[in-house]
Amino acid sequence: MIAESFLQMLPILLVVLGGYLVSGLYSIKVQDLVKVVSDFFLPALIFISLTESNLSGQAIADMAKASAVVCILLFAAAFLWAKLAKEDIRSAVPPLVFMNSGFLGIPLMKLWGGLEAMNLILIYDQVQGMFMFTLGIMVITGGFSKKSFLSMLHSPILWSVALGFLFRLTPLSMPQSLVNTFTFAGEAASPLAAFALGVSMRTIQYTFSWNLIGALLLRFVGGYLIGYVAVLAFGLTGLARTVVLVSTALPSAMFTSILPLRYGLPNQFASTMVLTSTLLGVLTIPLSFALAG
């Protein structure tokens, strides 16, 4: 099972490696690449997946609730750990709470379980995104502010989620040409996200500390256990169960190392967590699939 999971991950790993190698040959601004993916291609994928998905309303609701519970419990655990470890909450909490369910999880689930698994993690990821661009920004900036509120409103990802759900609730249908357009753009999101992840790894600064070990255990082991709590709480089975368990134990989200820079704050701990957890993901992700059954 572990070997099969690794082989399913291999296309993603090779594209991530491609991003890392190509960024060494050409000057690629990772911030611009991330904006292109997160502000254009991912919103297109999210919108068309929500409007065209065959998932039932109950399946979407269960996945959204599980993701919210995961986020709340991880916030509590991360705040407690940061206090005990005497780490800066603004830098330490986000990479412990938010996993790479978008740039890594979406292509991963598409390869593993096809469109249904990808649609499930899209719901999971967008709830995480809502928390990241609201509570996450509040944590990074030190509290609620006009800047954090405007950042939330300016996120195309959040608007694509809102419009996707709104369109799904109406009896309207899109012209096939628009469906084809959103589908065409959305199909580019997964490989571009993986490529952007590889590019970003070249820019990440690595700073080792002993607290890193505890943080990694919380991200992987703690994440999986909290995912298991959510699975039990909502009685998730089949694809939904695996998506939640594996997603919750994914490496730290790339945005947790980029967002502090946008607000002029240090990101050494966050960037170290992103790099180390992503490299370890080669081992932990297949193991998560195996444990999830």
Side-chain angles (χ1 to χ4, degrees), residues 11 71 160 164 178 222 226 247 272 284:
C71 202
S160 67
L178 277 181
I226 286 175
S247 298
T272 301
T284 60

Side-chain angles (χ1 to χ4, degrees), residues 135-154:
L135 293 179
I137 290 178
M138 289 174 62
V139 169
I140 291 171
T141 58
F144 183 83
S145 65
K146 181 180 178 181
K147 183 182 291 187
S148 62
F149 181 71
L150 290 176
S151 296
M152 176 184 67
L153 291 181
H154 289 166

Side-chain angles (χ1 to χ4, degrees), residues 117-164:
M118 187 191 75
N119 288 336
L120 286 169
I121 198 173
L122 278 168
I123 304 301
Y124 181 97
D125 178 62
Q126 295 327 302
V127 174
Q128 292 290 312
M130 290 178 185
F131 275 97
M132 180 185 295
F133 289 102
T134 52
L135 293 179
I137 290 178
M138 289 174 62
V139 169
I140 291 171
T141 58
F144 183 83
S145 65
K146 181 180 178 181
K147 183 182 291 187
S148 62
F149 181 71
L150 290 176
S151 296
M152 176 184 67
L153 291 181
H154 289 166
S155 172
I157 289 180
L158 294 186
W159 282 107
S160 67
V161 174
L163 291 174

Side-chain angles (χ1 to χ4, degrees), residues 175-217:
Q176 190 59 43
S177 58
L178 277 181
V179 173
N180 293 340
T181 300
F182 279 107
T183 302
F184 178 67
E187 287 176 346
S190 294
L192 279 174
F195 187 86
L197 179 59
V199 174
S200 73
M201 291 177 67
R202 188 174 287 278
T203 65
I204 291 175
Q205 300 175 352
Y206 187 88
T207 307
F208 178 79
S209 69
W210 288 108
N211 282 342
L212 181 64
I213 298 175
L216 290 169
L217 286 173

Side-chain angles (χ1 to χ4, degrees), residues 224-253:
Y224 187 91
L225 292 176
I226 286 175
Y228 195 74
V229 170
V231 163
L232 291 179
F234 299 104
L236 300 182
T237 59
L239 281 178
R241 178 180 185 276
T242 301
V243 168
V244 170
L245 290 175
V246 174
S247 298
T248 310
L250 285 171
S252 299

